[in-house]
Amino acid sequence: MLWTGESPRSAAWKAWLRRLLGLAIMAGLLILLRYLLGQPDYLLQGAIQAAAIFLFNSLINPFMFRNQLTEGRYTVTNQRVLVENRVYWFRIRRSERLAALAPPRLLDDGSVSFGNPRKGVLAGHRPNGLVIFELTLRGIPEPERVLEIVREAHRQAR
């Protein structure tokens, strides 16, 4: 292990709250629509459907988006960059090989980033040819020092 650090917790909680609020609004609209259509006996069915949507989203979402995980606890080794976080009550882990990633760079906000989709720069390719989603170490202390550690490990991994 060459370096370890964490992104600010507030960003992860904000994302979780946004998802929860979106689900609550969707469930509320579903129940309201059932009620406004004059089908109060379907009110319970609407609530059950909303609960099923929430449960499905809670169980499936974390695993579907683990390859896009960019916030949490970061670990840089001589071969890999690891990102670990909790999504709802699941522990999700993303692991990328340094050799497969593009050279790291420092962003204006003090983050260390591999690739930039806004500028058409890919983060890299996996051995099976799949594109690697942007990997950014956000909110880290001493980003210049971390960038040098990651650059050195990246050079040695290639």
Side-chain angles (χ1 to χ4, degrees):
M1 180 172 66
L2 301 174
W3 178 82
T4 186
E6 270 188 71
S7 65
R9 289 271 184 214
S10 61
W13 278 103
K14 287 178 185 176
W16 186 82
L17 288 175
R18 270 196 310 269
R19 274 181 253 153
L20 188 62
L21 181 63
L23 287 170
I25 290 171
M26 184 173 59
L29 289 175
L30 182 65
I31 291 170
L32 182 65
L33 181 65
R34 295 274 187 186
Y35 182 74
L36 289 177
L37 291 175
Q39 301 170 350
D41 53 330
Y42 288 105
L43 189 61
L44 180 61
Q45 182 182 356
I48 291 171
Q49 289 174 352
I53 291 170
F54 175 76
L55 185 62
F56 177 78
N57 190 35
S58 298
L59 295 175
I60 300 301
N61 224 5
F63 299 105
M64 289 177 59
F65 296 107
R66 78 167 166 242
N67 289 332
Q68 298 176 11
L69 185 65
T70 60
E71 295 176 344
R73 180 166 183 75
Y74 306 119
T75 304
V76 177
T77 69
N78 61 348
Q79 296 292 316
R80 296 190 168 277
V81 175
L82 305 165
V83 183
E84 296 175 309
N85 202 350
R86 286 198 173 275
V87 179
Y88 297 118
W89 51 84
F90 296 105
R91 188 175 191 177
I92 305 299
R93 181 178 181 201
R94 177 182 181 185
S95 176
E96 300 292 353
R97 292 179 49 242
L98 277 170
L101 293 170
R105 60 191 182 87
L106 189 63
L107 300 180
D108 295 334
D109 64 355
S111 300
V112 175
S113 178
F114 299 89
N116 186 346
R118 290 182 212 122
K119 294 186 179 182
V121 179
L122 297 175
H125 289 86
R126 291 195 172 85
N128 61 3
L130 294 175
V131 173
I132 298 173
F133 187 78
E134 175 191 14
L135 178 58
T136 303
L137 310 180
R138 293 190 172 95
I140 55 176
E142 301 178 13
E144 293 86 9
R145 185 177 76 83
V146 174
L147 178 64
E148 288 307 313
I149 291 170
V150 173
R151 277 187 178 158
E152 183 60 33
H154 187 260
R155 275 192 286 268
Q156 290 177 2
R158 288 198 170 229

